[in-house]
Amino acid sequence: MEEKSMTALVSAFSRAYHSVQNTEKVFDDYLAKDILTPSEYEQISNHMSKGISFFNPSFKGTQEEALRWVVDNQLSPSPLGRAAFAEKALENAVRIGANQYMVFAAGYDTFAYRQPDWASKIKIFELDHPVTGSDKQKRIQSIIPKNPDNLCYVSVDFTKHNWKNNLIACSEFNQNKISFCSLLGISYYLSKQAFAETINTISSIVPKGSSIVFDYPDEYTYTPKAGERSKKQASMIDTVNKERLASYSYLELEKMLADSNFLIYEHLTPNEITNQYFKKHNKSNPKHPIIAFDNVNYCLAIKN
């Protein structure tokens, strides 16, 4: 399976593990565990618990305790926090007039299959690579007999820059309708130029009042000033790829968005993310706190 699909599976695993293990949840993706096969869930569990010596060399405890430590500290903070942030922003956008929801690089996102009542009036578009998209659909069919009526799959290869044409070719898509676009987990894989081009292309096909939501690494992510977890993450990436990773200062991000007619509406730093999204969980689970990932910020921007 392609690397990004494996990344998507691990992300689904972290959401699944959190939903199964906790009563006070940061984000409840109750379908995530069903998307994974029992053997995948077990394999990822074993792989992560065995990696404890890399993530926390001084850790002492059982394999299950090691797994929980790795998930809570390294794997789940970003997938949980950004999903909670994005879906709250989506709900607000729908209440004030958004009609379309585009999920870029949808991976194993399950929103369309657990959508609340307020989402039934919008069109949902899942854009992803045909390999990942088809794998996801097979998995979904085994747990949900019928796709929601308001869901459209759009097969795209982001490396070939064909996503705009494929989306416009979709008869359900309307360029005149206010849209909400989720680009979670994408900025890490694109150069600054490619990310700016993606945002600019979105701006060219959505009207004023449309939104984009994304997470991104700040300017210290790949420097000695980075937090310990960021350093661990970066060290897992080979040197060749590391040279191409982009990171952004707030001012840089603000300018890039303004160049595509977007204004920052909400911006959260790690401390703010922890306070807004993890506080209740941490109060209920003082022995298993979740802290927002180092050097990762969330942004909601609106087209003006």
Side-chain angles (χ1 to χ4, degrees), residues 27 32 53 55 64 95 112 160 181 184 216 265 269 283-284:
F27 179 77
S53 59
F55 294 115
E64 185 51 50
R95 286 194 170 139
K160 293 181 180 171
C181 307
L184 303 182
Y216 74 94
Y265 181 77
T269 60
K283 197 173 177 184
S284 296

Side-chain angles (χ1 to χ4, degrees), residues 3 6-8 10-11 14 48 51 54-56 69-79 82 185 188-189 215 217 220-223 226-239 241-242 245 292-296:
E3 184 189 341
M6 185 45 72
T7 304
V10 172
S11 178
S14 66
M48 292 305 163
F54 171 74
F55 294 115
N56 184 356
W69 191 97
V70 172
V71 174
D72 286 350
N73 287 275
Q74 200 75 28
L75 297 187
S76 70
S78 284
R82 69 193 183 198
Y188 311 93
Y189 295 99
D215 52 328
Y220 301 114
T221 302
Y222 307 112
T223 73
E228 281 309 308
R229 290 179 296 174
S230 285
K231 288 176 184 172
K232 295 285 186 190
Q233 209 82 342
S235 70
M236 290 190 288
I237 302 166
D238 64 75
T239 310
N241 283 334
K242 191 174 174 182
L245 293 174
F293 208 82
D294 319 320
N295 308 105
V296 171

Side-chain angles (χ1 to χ4, degrees), residues 190-255:
L190 299 177
S191 65
K192 286 186 179 180
Q193 183 184 347
F195 192 45
E197 284 170 359
T198 302
I199 289 170
N200 195 48
T201 304
I202 290 172
S203 182
S204 74
I205 58 169
V206 298
K208 179 181 174 181
S210 295
S211 318
I212 54 172
V213 66
F214 59 92
D215 52 328
Y216 74 94
D218 72 19
E219 73 266 45
Y220 301 114
T221 302
Y222 307 112
T223 73
K225 289 185 178 180
E228 281 309 308
R229 290 179 296 174
S230 285
K231 288 176 184 172
K232 295 285 186 190
Q233 209 82 342
S235 70
M236 290 190 288
I237 302 166
D238 64 75
T239 310
V240 178
N241 283 334
K242 191 174 174 182
E243 294 304 318
R244 288 188 266 126
L245 293 174
S247 56
Y248 304 83
S249 69
Y250 182 86
L251 290 176
E252 209 175 358
L253 190 77
E254 191 176 45
K255 183 185 183 309

Side-chain angles (χ1 to χ4, degrees), residues 41-94:
Y41 192 87
E42 192 179 339
Q43 280 170 16
I44 295 172
S45 296
N46 290 337
H47 182 68
M48 292 305 163
S49 61
K50 285 172 184 168
I52 188 67
S53 59
F54 171 74
F55 294 115
N56 184 356
S58 61
F59 180 85
K60 287 182 173 55
T62 65
Q63 190 172 340
E64 185 51 50
E65 287 165 342
L67 174 63
R68 174 132 200 179
W69 191 97
V70 172
V71 174
D72 286 350
N73 287 275
Q74 200 75 28
L75 297 187
S76 70
S78 284
L80 295 176
R82 69 193 183 198
F85 177 71
E87 291 190 13
K88 180 185 171 189
L90 171 64
E91 182 177 6
N92 291 337
V94 170

